[in-house]
Amino acid sequence: MAVKMAAVSGGGPIGSGDEYIASLRDRGLKVFLFGEPVEEPVDHPMIRPSINAVARTYDLANEHPELATAMSPFTGTRVSRFLHIAENAEDLVLQNKMQRRLGQLTGTCFQRCVGMDAFNSLYSVSYEIDQAHGTAYHERFKAFVAMTQTEGFVIGGAMTDVKGDRSKAPHEQDDPDMFVHVSKRTEEGVYIRGAKAHQTGCLNSHWLLVMPTMRLGSGDEDFAITGAVPVDAPGITYIYGRQSCDTRAMEPGDLDVGNSQYAGQEAMIIFEDVFIPWEHVFMDGETEFAAMLVERFTCYHRRSYVCKSGVGDVLIGAAATIADFNGVDNASHIKDKLVEMTHLNETIYSTGIASSYQAHPTASGAYINDDMLANVCKHHVTKMPYEIGRLAQDLAGGLMVTLPSQQDLDHPDIGKLLRKYLKGRKGIPTEDRMRILRLIENMTLGRNAVGYLTESMHGAGSPQAQRIQIGRQMQLDFKKALAKNLAGIDPDVQQGVIETVSDYFERVFSIPKKTAADD
Ligand SMILES: Cc1cc2nc3c(=O)[nH]c(=O)nc-3n(C[C@H](O)[C@H](O)[C@H](O)COP(=O)(O)OP(=O)(O)OC[C@H]3O[C@@H](n4cnc5c(N)ncnc54)[C@H](O)[C@@H]3O)c2cc1C
Ligand code: SF4
């Protein structure tokens, strides 16, 4: 079994959006959409915008290499930042800046961060498993990372299992296939079975990194499996996820789609005894490390949701534009609402970027961002895009959901009536007004609301998952001691407690090392 990227494999890394799109052709993937097999996903009008969004990441790497690439210690060359292991806090900060920029350029989910965050978390976790068990996962994983960097591949991060009854552990489920697990082991490797749900950009990837989805315990050993699988491996079926208004991409014209160029992608992946050779197995049975892997992945990924601030920039721009087109841009409440949207959007960005700045090294040497601030960032993301979307809909007016179709606008008789009655401010073509309204619809109710709203809610874990992590790290005893000390309650005892700055506060008060430039 080989990954079939004949167009580029062995010929150097994929170097542009066009080369990337070419690399996805002729893979013979088993993909279902509307109950029918999809012959060539690259040419499907509903799928193509999601491919364009990933292609944009390659073009950004050419336009701004300092932002979207990094020097790899494994290959000695510049590689995609999406494949780079963070060597310092600045690498993490640059991930966030790249994510915001790509959110601005695509207005959607560009899909590559799940793989990036899976790479970074597995790098440190494989190291620590080896330290504890004398296994050889870390060297295998480093070789895999180097290979993907050399080829310039896209990696999908496959963590979320379908999970069946959420109150039961994997081994307690009536059907073991509710969680991906090892179905057979041979001298050559393992075979896996099960399904992963909601998989971002999986068809648009070259490899999938399969990981456990939650803390595992005794009896769950076969579920503690992590490995890399080529997207075109035998035994994989992809069932494409629908997005609201998705079939508009199959209608003539580009107006009603709102954003005709770019979209996100999710699919369900079914693994029917899919083979993984040992060289691509990075955890097998070490149940006690499943929680560490999930927590590190979500730590990275929850601040990756800074991407939504880039998408938010587009929505704020669309709201300001429709106010302008309607002739109300100078109204004080409109200005105030745009200020509020910006305030919310920058709150998302600031918590994410702060998490990256407040990074620390793991035992492997790879850096990880601050977990408390990552969870705060993601928790904001479960709420603020909804409020930004509400305000955008306020400024848009009701026409956003009652607009006639592009076919009506193009009709020789009806079109004239629409151009007359749907006019706004003098000098603004009716069609432009319709286009901006359709973009707001796309981002708050249509295809890209999947990425901007519901993915913001559930991606990288539903809101409760962040509250649990924030609760674990909130150090109430320390804060109570601060209060009791100032209130004069056992000041000597409290003084002792507050002198020990640990956990989150240790990270808060750690002084960054001086650089030569500071001297
Ligand atoms: C657009 C999108 C893209 C995504 N992309 C990816 C991806 O690329 N890779 C990936 O691995 N995953 C991906 N995810 C999955 C995401 O991580 C999950 O949606 C998330 O973890 C929630 O899981 P779930 O959807 O199964 O919801 P559920 O588990 O069904 O949760 C629904 C509700 O039930 C609550 N709940 C669940 N279990 C319990 C419990 N035991 N006790 C109490 N309450 C509980 C939750 O808090 C939530 O409120 C994506 C999700 C979305 C929506
Ligand atoms: S939701 Fe954001 S962080 Fe996640 S893959 Fe999409 S663009 Fe990246």
Side-chain angles (χ1 to χ4, degrees):
M1 169 186 35
V3 195
K4 199 173 161 201
M5 275 148 300
V8 290
S9 191
I14 299 168
S16 67
D18 286 344
E19 283 181 24
Y20 160 71
I21 292 170
S23 78
L24 299 185
R25 288 192 178 279
D26 302 325
R27 294 191 296 173
L29 304 184
K30 194 173 166 195
V31 182
F32 278 84
L33 174 57
F34 298 133
E36 304 271 347
V38 177
E39 191 77 22
E40 177 51 84
V42 174
D43 296 325
H44 197 290
M46 243 177 75
I47 300 177
R48 183 55 176 267
S50 72
I51 294 174
N52 294 342
V54 180
R56 194 69 189 84
T57 68
Y58 285 91
D59 290 333
L60 184 73
N62 288 327
E63 293 154 11
H64 292 289
E66 69 295 345
L67 186 63
T69 68
M71 265 313 278
S72 166
F74 308 126
T75 63
T77 56
R78 285 200 87 80
V79 300
S80 168
R81 190 170 292 289
F82 286 105
L83 299 168
H84 180 58
I85 305 297
E87 297 177 280
N88 46 46
E90 198 191 354
D91 272 340
L92 294 163
V93 169
L94 286 170
Q95 287 179 353
N96 281 154
K97 290 180 185 283
M98 171 180 74
Q99 287 161 325
R100 183 159 188 173
R101 188 74 184 122
L102 284 164
Q104 291 179 339
L105 295 172
T106 61
T108 190
C109 167
F110 38 87
Q111 306 150 48
R112 291 186 76 179
C113 327
V114 191
M116 176 178 77
D117 297 332
F119 257 28
N120 276 275
S121 43
L122 193 51
Y123 187 86
S124 64
V125 172
S126 62
Y127 180 90
E128 287 178 47
I129 301 177
D130 288 356
Q131 296 293 300
H133 290 277
T135 41
Y137 297 131
H138 190 62
E139 285 307 314
R140 282 182 197 169
F141 186 60
K142 276 197 331 200
F144 177 71
V145 170
M147 181 279 288
T148 64
Q149 291 179 342
T150 303
E151 300 286 351
F153 285 153
V154 173
I155 309 299
M159 180 168 266
T160 307
D161 289 288
V162 289
K163 295 185 292 202
D165 181 340
R166 271 83 172 134
S167 68
K168 291 186 174 165
H171 74 275
E172 294 169 344
Q173 301 284 333
D174 289 342
D175 181 348
D177 294 350
M178 294 300 101
F179 288 80
V180 169
H181 61 99
V182 176
S183 55
K184 192 165 85 171
R185 285 186 183 77
T186 67
E187 282 189 6
E188 286 76 38
V190 300
Y191 289 78
I192 59 167
R193 269 191 92 73
K196 294 285 186 186
H198 329 292
Q199 295 303 297
T200 294
C202 54
L203 297 181
N204 300 344
S205 303
H206 302 104
W207 286 80
L208 300 170
L209 205 50
V210 179
M211 302 166 282
T213 199
M214 58 192 247
R215 178 179 297 276
L216 299 174
S218 177
D220 291 329
E221 286 74 11
D222 285 343
F223 302 89
I225 181 72
T226 295
V229 183
V231 167
D232 57 0
I236 301 186
T237 303
Y238 298 90
I239 308 175
Y240 207 81
R242 293 213 63 177
Q243 297 173 325
S244 60
C245 310
D246 51 9
T247 48
R248 288 191 192 184
M250 302 193 332
E251 297 170 4
D254 67 343
L255 195 157
D256 290 350
V257 193
N259 178 350
S260 63
Q261 295 182 65
Y262 300 116
Q265 172 189 99
E266 287 79 31
M268 177 177 286
I269 312 177
I270 319 274
F271 297 93
E272 289 175 295
D273 298 316
V274 173
F275 176 66
I276 314 181
W278 289 118
E279 66 169 315
H280 292 145
V281 172
F282 311 121
M283 175 195 289
D284 180 23
E286 293 84 4
T287 50
E288 75 276 25
F289 283 93
M292 181 190 280
L293 181 59
V294 173
E295 279 174 19
R296 289 200 184 161
F297 170 75
T298 53
C299 177
Y300 285 114
H301 204 45
R302 286 179 186 165
R303 59 86 236 200
S304 279
Y305 274 66
V306 151
C307 67
K308 306 300 177 205
S309 65
V311 180
D313 291 327
V314 179
L315 188 55
I316 294 167
T321 304
I322 193 61
D324 186 12
F325 287 1
N326 288 346
V328 294
D329 50 319
N330 281 326
S332 62
H333 81 100
I334 300 283
K335 283 187 181 158
D336 191 53
K337 282 167 184 165
L338 291 168
V339 168
E340 177 64 9
M341 291 165 88
T342 304
H343 159 69
L344 294 169
N345 204 43
E346 297 304 334
T347 303
I348 293 171
Y349 178 69
S350 44
T351 45
I353 205 95
S355 171
S356 292
Y357 273 114
Q358 197 158 280
H360 61 93
T362 59
S364 68
Y367 268 64
I368 188 161
N369 52 287
D370 190 273
D371 191 53
M372 169 68 107
L373 295 177
N375 278 281
V376 170
C377 173
K378 174 67 212 316
H379 208 52
H380 281 325
V381 169
T382 66
K383 303 172 187 174
M384 291 176 177
Y386 286 87
E387 180 60 9
I388 296 170
R390 188 183 77 81
L391 290 166
Q393 291 194 359
D394 176 352
L395 269 58
L399 199 53
M400 186 193 92
V401 289
T402 63
L403 264 183
S405 68
Q406 179 170 4
Q407 284 94 323
D408 293 314
L409 186 71
D410 292 342
H411 189 277
D413 302 326
I414 302 295
K416 276 187 226 137
L417 295 174
L418 291 179
R419 284 179 207 279
K420 169 181 163 71
Y421 285 108
L422 294 184
K423 272 195 302 234
R425 182 197 283 272
K426 188 172 178 205
I428 303 296
T430 299
E431 182 178 327
D432 289 0
R433 189 163 175 248
M434 290 174 73
R435 283 187 178 275
I436 209 75
L437 287 167
R438 285 291 182 213
L439 179 64
I440 298 173
E441 182 195 35
N442 167 277
M443 298 178 77
T444 62
L445 293 171
R447 285 199 81 170
N448 286 328
V450 173
Y452 190 55
L453 299 181
T454 317
E455 187 171 41
S456 293
M457 177 71 80
H458 289 291
S462 310
Q464 187 58 19
Q466 290 106 59
R467 297 187 82 83
I468 289 169
Q469 284 298 94
I470 292 169
R472 277 185 189 151
Q473 300 177 70
M474 65 183 170
Q475 295 185 266
L476 279 189
D477 285 342
F478 178 79
K479 289 173 183 168
K480 281 198 258 181
L482 292 174
K484 288 179 185 170
N485 178 48
L486 289 182
I489 303 168
D490 284 341
D492 292 342
V493 176
Q494 309 311 335
Q495 189 61 37
V497 176
I498 64 181
E499 271 166 15
T500 313
V501 180
S502 62
D503 302 312
Y504 174 60
F505 285 111
E506 190 175 2
R507 303 198 294 274
V508 169
F509 296 117
S510 87
I511 308 294
K513 285 202 185 80
K514 277 177 98 180
T515 63
D518 295 325
D519 293 326

Coordinates of all heavy atoms in Angstrom, one line a residue, residues 465-510:
A465 N -16.2 20.8 28.3 CA -14.8 20.3 28.3 C -13.8 21.4 28.7 O -12.9 21.2 29.5 CB -14.4 19.7 27.0
Q466 N -14.1 22.6 28.3 CA -13.2 23.7 28.6 C -13.4 24.1 30.1 O -12.5 24.4 30.8 CB -13.4 25.0 27.8 CG -12.9 24.8 26.3 CD -14.1 24.6 25.4 OE1 -14.9 25.5 25.3 NE2 -14.1 23.5 24.7
R467 N -14.7 24.1 30.5 CA -15.0 24.5 31.9 C -14.3 23.5 32.9 O -13.8 23.9 33.9 CB -16.5 24.5 32.1 CG -17.2 25.6 31.3 CD -18.6 25.8 31.6 NE -18.8 26.7 32.8 CZ -18.8 28.0 32.7 NH1 -18.6 28.6 31.6 NH2 -19.0 28.7 33.8
I468 N -14.3 22.2 32.5 CA -13.6 21.2 33.4 C -12.1 21.6 33.5 O -11.6 21.6 34.6 CB -13.8 19.8 32.8 CG1 -15.3 19.4 33.0 CG2 -12.9 18.8 33.5 CD1 -15.7 18.1 32.3
Q469 N -11.5 21.9 32.4 CA -10.1 22.2 32.4 C -9.8 23.5 33.1 O -8.8 23.6 33.9 CB -9.5 22.3 30.9 CG -9.3 21.0 30.2 CD -8.3 20.1 30.9 OE1 -8.7 19.3 31.8 NE2 -7.0 20.3 30.7
I470 N -10.6 24.5 32.9 CA -10.4 25.8 33.6 C -10.6 25.5 35.2 O -9.8 26.0 36.0 CB -11.4 26.9 33.1 CG1 -11.1 27.2 31.7 CG2 -11.4 28.1 34.0 CD1 -12.1 28.1 31.0
G471 N -11.6 24.7 35.5 CA -11.9 24.4 36.9 C -10.7 23.7 37.6 O -10.3 24.0 38.7
R472 N -10.1 22.8 36.8 CA -9.0 22.1 37.4 C -7.8 23.0 37.7 O -7.0 22.7 38.5 CB -8.5 21.0 36.3 CG -9.3 19.7 36.3 CD -8.6 18.8 35.4 NE -9.5 17.6 35.2 CZ -9.6 16.9 34.1 NH1 -8.8 17.2 33.1 NH2 -10.4 15.9 34.1
Q473 N -7.7 24.1 36.9 CA -6.5 24.9 37.0 C -6.7 26.2 37.7 O -5.8 27.1 37.8 CB -5.9 25.2 35.6 CG -5.6 23.9 34.8 CD -5.1 24.2 33.4 OE1 -4.0 24.8 33.2 NE2 -5.9 23.9 32.5
M474 N -7.9 26.4 38.4 CA -8.2 27.7 38.9 C -7.6 28.0 40.2 O -7.6 29.2 40.7 CB -9.7 28.0 38.9 CG -10.5 27.2 39.8 SD -12.2 27.7 39.5 CE -13.1 26.4 40.4
Q475 N -7.0 27.1 40.9 CA -6.1 27.3 42.1 C -6.9 28.1 43.2 O -6.4 29.2 43.6 CB -4.8 28.0 41.8 CG -3.9 27.1 40.9 CD -2.6 27.7 40.6 OE1 -2.4 28.3 39.6 NE2 -1.6 27.5 41.5
L476 N -8.1 27.6 43.6 CA -8.9 28.3 44.5 C -8.2 28.5 45.9 O -8.4 29.5 46.6 CB -10.2 27.7 44.7 CG -11.3 28.0 43.6 CD1 -12.6 27.4 43.9 CD2 -11.4 29.5 43.3
D477 N -7.4 27.4 46.3 CA -6.8 27.6 47.6 C -5.8 28.7 47.7 O -5.8 29.5 48.6 CB -6.1 26.3 48.0 CG -7.1 25.2 48.4 OD1 -8.2 25.5 48.7 OD2 -6.7 24.0 48.3
F478 N -5.1 28.9 46.6 CA -4.2 30.0 46.5 C -4.9 31.3 46.5 O -4.5 32.2 47.3 CB -3.4 29.8 45.2 CG -2.4 30.9 45.0 CD1 -1.1 30.9 45.6 CD2 -2.7 31.9 44.1 CE1 -0.2 32.0 45.4 CE2 -1.8 33.0 43.8 CZ -0.5 33.0 44.5
K479 N -6.0 31.4 45.8 CA -6.8 32.6 45.7 C -7.4 32.9 47.1 O -7.5 34.1 47.5 CB -7.8 32.6 44.6 CG -7.1 32.6 43.2 CD -8.1 32.4 42.1 CE -7.4 32.4 40.7 NZ -8.2 31.9 39.7
K480 N -7.9 31.9 47.7 CA -8.5 32.1 49.1 C -7.4 32.6 50.0 O -7.7 33.5 50.9 CB -9.1 30.8 49.6 CG -10.4 30.4 49.0 CD -11.2 29.4 49.8 CE -11.1 28.0 49.2 NZ -11.7 27.0 49.9
A481 N -6.2 32.1 49.9 CA -5.1 32.6 50.8 C -4.8 34.1 50.5 O -4.6 34.8 51.5 CB -3.9 31.7 50.6
L482 N -4.9 34.5 49.3 CA -4.7 35.9 49.0 C -5.7 36.8 49.7 O -5.4 37.8 50.3 CB -4.8 36.1 47.5 CG -3.7 35.6 46.5 CD1 -4.1 35.8 45.1 CD2 -2.4 36.2 46.8
A483 N -6.9 36.3 49.6 CA -8.0 37.1 50.2 C -7.9 37.1 51.7 O -8.0 38.1 52.4 CB -9.4 36.5 49.8
K484 N -7.7 35.9 52.3 CA -7.6 35.8 53.8 C -6.5 36.6 54.3 O -6.5 37.2 55.4 CB -7.5 34.3 54.2 CG -8.8 33.5 54.0 CD -8.5 32.1 54.4 CE -9.7 31.2 54.1 NZ -9.4 29.8 54.3
N485 N -5.4 36.6 53.6 CA -4.2 37.3 54.0 C -4.5 38.8 54.2 O -4.3 39.4 55.2 CB -3.1 37.1 53.0 CG -1.8 37.9 53.4 OD1 -1.4 37.9 54.5 ND2 -1.3 38.6 52.4
L486 N -5.2 39.4 53.2 CA -5.5 40.8 53.2 C -6.6 41.1 54.2 O -6.7 42.2 54.7 CB -5.9 41.3 51.8 CG -4.7 41.4 50.8 CD1 -5.2 41.9 49.5 CD2 -3.6 42.2 51.3
A487 N -7.5 40.1 54.4 CA -8.6 40.3 55.4 C -8.1 40.1 56.8 O -8.9 40.3 57.8 CB -9.7 39.4 55.1
G488 N -6.8 39.8 57.0 CA -6.3 39.6 58.3 C -6.7 38.3 59.0 O -6.6 38.1 60.2
I489 N -7.0 37.3 58.2 CA -7.4 35.9 58.7 C -6.1 35.1 58.7 O -5.6 34.8 57.6 CB -8.5 35.3 57.9 CG1 -9.7 36.2 57.9 CG2 -8.8 33.9 58.5 CD1 -10.8 35.8 57.0
D490 N -5.6 34.7 59.8 CA -4.3 33.9 59.9 C -3.3 34.4 58.9 O -2.8 33.6 58.0 CB -4.6 32.4 59.5 CG -5.3 31.7 60.7 OD1 -5.2 32.2 61.8 OD2 -5.9 30.7 60.5
P491 N -2.9 35.7 59.0 CA -2.0 36.2 57.9 C -0.7 35.4 57.8 O -0.2 35.2 56.7 CB -1.7 37.6 58.4 CG -2.5 37.9 59.6 CD -3.3 36.7 60.0
D492 N -0.2 34.9 58.9 CA 1.1 34.1 58.8 C 0.9 32.9 57.9 O 1.7 32.5 57.1 CB 1.7 33.8 60.2 CG 2.1 35.1 60.9 OD1 2.3 36.1 60.2 OD2 2.2 35.1 62.1
V493 N -0.2 32.1 58.2 CA -0.4 30.9 57.5 C -0.6 31.2 56.0 O -0.1 30.6 55.1 CB -1.7 30.2 58.0 CG1 -2.1 29.0 57.2 CG2 -1.5 29.9 59.5
Q494 N -1.5 32.2 55.8 CA -1.8 32.6 54.4 C -0.5 33.1 53.6 O -0.3 32.8 52.5 CB -2.8 33.7 54.3 CG -4.1 33.4 55.1 CD -4.7 32.0 54.9 OE1 -4.5 31.4 53.8 NE2 -5.4 31.5 55.9
Q495 N 0.3 33.8 54.4 CA 1.6 34.3 53.7 C 2.4 33.1 53.2 O 2.9 33.1 52.1 CB 2.4 35.1 54.8 CG 3.6 35.8 54.2 CD 3.2 36.9 53.1 OE1 2.2 37.5 53.3 NE2 4.0 37.0 52.1
G496 N 2.4 32.0 54.0 CA 3.2 30.8 53.6 C 2.6 30.2 52.3 O 3.3 29.8 51.4
V497 N 1.3 30.2 52.2 CA 0.6 29.6 51.1 C 0.9 30.5 49.8 O 1.3 29.9 48.8 CB -0.9 29.5 51.3 CG1 -1.6 29.0 50.0 CG2 -1.2 28.6 52.5
I498 N 0.8 31.8 50.0 CA 0.9 32.6 48.8 C 2.4 32.8 48.3 O 2.6 33.2 47.2 CB 0.2 34.0 48.9 CG1 0.9 34.9 50.0 CG2 -1.2 33.8 49.2 CD1 0.2 36.2 50.2
E499 N 3.3 32.4 49.2 CA 4.7 32.5 48.7 C 5.1 31.4 47.7 O 6.0 31.5 47.0 CB 5.7 32.4 49.9 CG 6.0 33.8 50.5 CD 6.6 33.8 51.9 OE1 7.1 32.7 52.3 OE2 6.6 34.8 52.5
T500 N 4.3 30.3 47.8 CA 4.6 29.2 46.8 C 3.7 29.4 45.6 O 2.5 29.1 45.5 CB 4.1 27.8 47.5 OG1 4.7 27.8 48.8 CG2 4.6 26.7 46.7
V501 N 4.4 29.9 44.6 CA 3.7 30.2 43.3 C 3.9 28.9 42.4 O 5.0 28.6 42.0 CB 4.2 31.4 42.6 CG1 3.5 31.7 41.3 CG2 4.1 32.6 43.5
S502 N 2.8 28.2 42.2 CA 2.9 26.9 41.4 C 1.9 26.9 40.3 O 1.1 27.8 40.1 CB 2.6 25.8 42.4 OG 1.3 25.9 42.9
D503 N 2.0 25.8 39.5 CA 1.0 25.5 38.4 C 0.8 26.7 37.5 O 1.8 27.3 37.0 CB -0.3 25.0 39.0 CG -0.1 23.8 39.9 OD1 0.6 22.9 39.4 OD2 -0.5 23.7 41.0
Y504 N -0.5 27.1 37.3 CA -0.7 28.2 36.4 C 0.0 29.5 36.8 O 0.6 30.1 35.9 CB -2.3 28.4 36.3 CG -2.6 29.7 35.5 CD1 -2.3 29.7 34.1 CD2 -3.3 30.7 36.0 CE1 -2.6 30.8 33.3 CE2 -3.6 31.8 35.3 CZ -3.3 31.9 33.9 OH -3.6 33.0 33.2
F505 N 0.0 29.8 38.1 CA 0.6 31.1 38.5 C 2.2 31.0 38.3 O 2.8 32.0 38.1 CB 0.2 31.5 39.9 CG -1.2 32.0 39.9 CD1 -2.2 31.3 40.5 CD2 -1.5 33.2 39.2 CE1 -3.5 31.8 40.4 CE2 -2.8 33.7 39.2 CZ -3.8 33.0 39.8
E506 N 2.7 29.8 38.4 CA 4.1 29.7 38.1 C 4.4 30.1 36.6 O 5.4 30.8 36.3 CB 4.6 28.2 38.3 CG 6.1 28.1 38.3 CD 6.6 26.7 38.6 OE1 5.8 25.8 38.9 OE2 7.8 26.5 38.6
R507 N 3.5 29.7 35.8 CA 3.7 30.1 34.4 C 3.4 31.6 34.2 O 4.1 32.3 33.5 CB 2.7 29.3 33.4 CG 2.9 27.8 33.5 CD 2.3 27.1 32.4 NE 0.9 27.2 32.3 CZ 0.0 26.3 32.9 NH1 0.5 25.4 33.7 NH2 -1.3 26.5 32.7
V508 N 2.4 32.1 34.9 CA 2.1 33.6 34.8 C 3.3 34.4 35.3 O 3.7 35.4 34.6 CB 0.9 33.9 35.7 CG1 0.8 35.4 35.9 CG2 -0.4 33.3 35.2
F509 N 4.0 34.0 36.4 CA 5.1 34.8 36.9 C 6.5 34.4 36.5 O 7.5 35.0 37.0 CB 5.0 34.9 38.4 CG 3.7 35.5 38.9 CD1 2.7 34.8 39.6 CD2 3.4 36.8 38.6 CE1 1.5 35.4 40.0 CE2 2.2 37.4 39.0 CZ 1.3 36.7 39.7
S510 N 6.6 33.4 35.6 CA 7.9 33.1 35.1 C 8.4 34.2 34.2 O 7.7 34.7 33.4 CB 7.9 31.7 34.4 OG 7.7 31.9 33.0

